Amino acid sequence: MCRRRRLESPFFLAVLLGLGCGSARTESGAVNTTSSTTEVVQFAYETTQGQIFGSNTTRGRVTIVLFATTFDMASEWLATLINRILHEHRPRINAGLVILEAPEHAILAETFRASLKLSYPVAMADSETLSGQSPFGRISSVPTFFVLDRKGRIVWRRAGIAQRSEIVEALHSAAER
């Protein structure tokens, strides 16, 4: 039997309000931006298995960083799609999932990882990210993901779900930089 968390938690409500109910959208319902920044994103999140998923562990390969929640079906779908792309893509890429929930919900994040059989790291967002001060900027909806080039620069950002072809195109674009 599946139980839902109660929404009365003040922290949980603050996170939901911080995430917002929507964002600027394209005709397909998602936000998509291409960036040509030369600034390298520095990040480090602790995974549910006690390791670090961060810029120091991903540099050298194109990387997908997904921000999601454990209670959102779109997050689940995109996490699964990224897992498939990770296994099929050549050259190899990195991927990591950052759960935008309070640290005490780490058991839910680990259950999310295990139930979806994700082969990439799942980490918990730190307090700065939860308060809107992420190294990736404000994350205002879930799922939101970024594609980083080999040097760790953001080359693509997407709020909402994306088609496989869009993700693959963003990965190829990042690999060419």
Side-chain angles (χ1 to χ4, degrees), residues 5-126:
R5 288 194 299 278
R6 297 187 57 135
L7 296 179
E8 289 84 19
S9 163
F11 185 79
F12 186 69
L13 285 173
V15 169
L16 284 178
L17 289 173
L19 292 175
C21 295
S23 60
R25 298 190 182 273
T26 63
E27 289 177 14
S28 66
V31 174
N32 184 22
T33 9
T34 304
S35 172
S36 59
T37 182
T38 59
E39 192 173 318
V40 173
V41 178
Q42 297 292 329
F43 65 99
Y45 296 105
E46 185 173 349
T47 70
T48 57
Q49 297 180 324
Q51 299 168 337
I52 298 295
F53 168 67
S55 49
N56 290 338
T57 61
T58 60
R59 198 147 300 121
R61 284 194 185 154
V62 172
T63 301
I64 299 174
V65 181
L66 171 62
F67 290 88
T69 59
T70 60
F71 54 86
D72 175 62
M73 188 168 262
S75 294
E76 181 179 329
W77 182 84
L78 192 54
T80 303
L81 176 61
I82 289 171
N83 197 56
R84 285 193 303 262
I85 291 170
L86 179 70
H87 289 288
E88 297 166 2
H89 196 273
R90 296 295 178 262
R92 290 182 53 196
I93 60 171
N94 291 318
L97 169 60
V98 181
I99 298 292
L100 293 171
E101 296 177 36
E104 59 265 21
H105 297 237
I107 188 69
L108 295 174
E110 178 56 22
T111 302
F112 186 84
R113 184 194 66 74
S115 66
L116 295 178
K117 296 179 174 81
L118 301 178
S119 60
Y120 54 88
V122 174
M124 299 303 294
D126 55 23

Side-chain angles (χ1 to χ4, degrees), residues 40-41 59-61 148-153 177:
V40 173
V41 178
R59 198 147 300 121
R61 284 194 185 154
L148 309 177
D149 67 10
R150 289 183 179 100
K151 293 180 181 176
R153 300 174 297 197
R177 288 189 69 180

Side-chain angles (χ1 to χ4, degrees), residues 124-177:
M124 299 303 294
D126 55 23
S127 58
E128 290 82 20
T129 300
L130 289 173
S131 68
Q133 303 300 314
S134 156
F136 294 89
R138 183 168 174 75
I139 310 297
S140 59
S141 63
V142 295
T144 294
F145 70 97
F146 297 82
V147 174
L148 309 177
D149 67 10
R150 289 183 179 100
K151 293 180 181 176
R153 300 174 297 197
I154 298 171
V155 297
W156 206 69
R157 171 193 172 117
R158 174 73 175 231
I161 59 173
Q163 297 299 314
R164 176 187 189 83
S165 59
E166 294 173 293
I167 298 170
V168 171
E169 180 181 325
L171 291 170
H172 287 299
S173 175
E176 292 173 355
R177 288 189 69 180

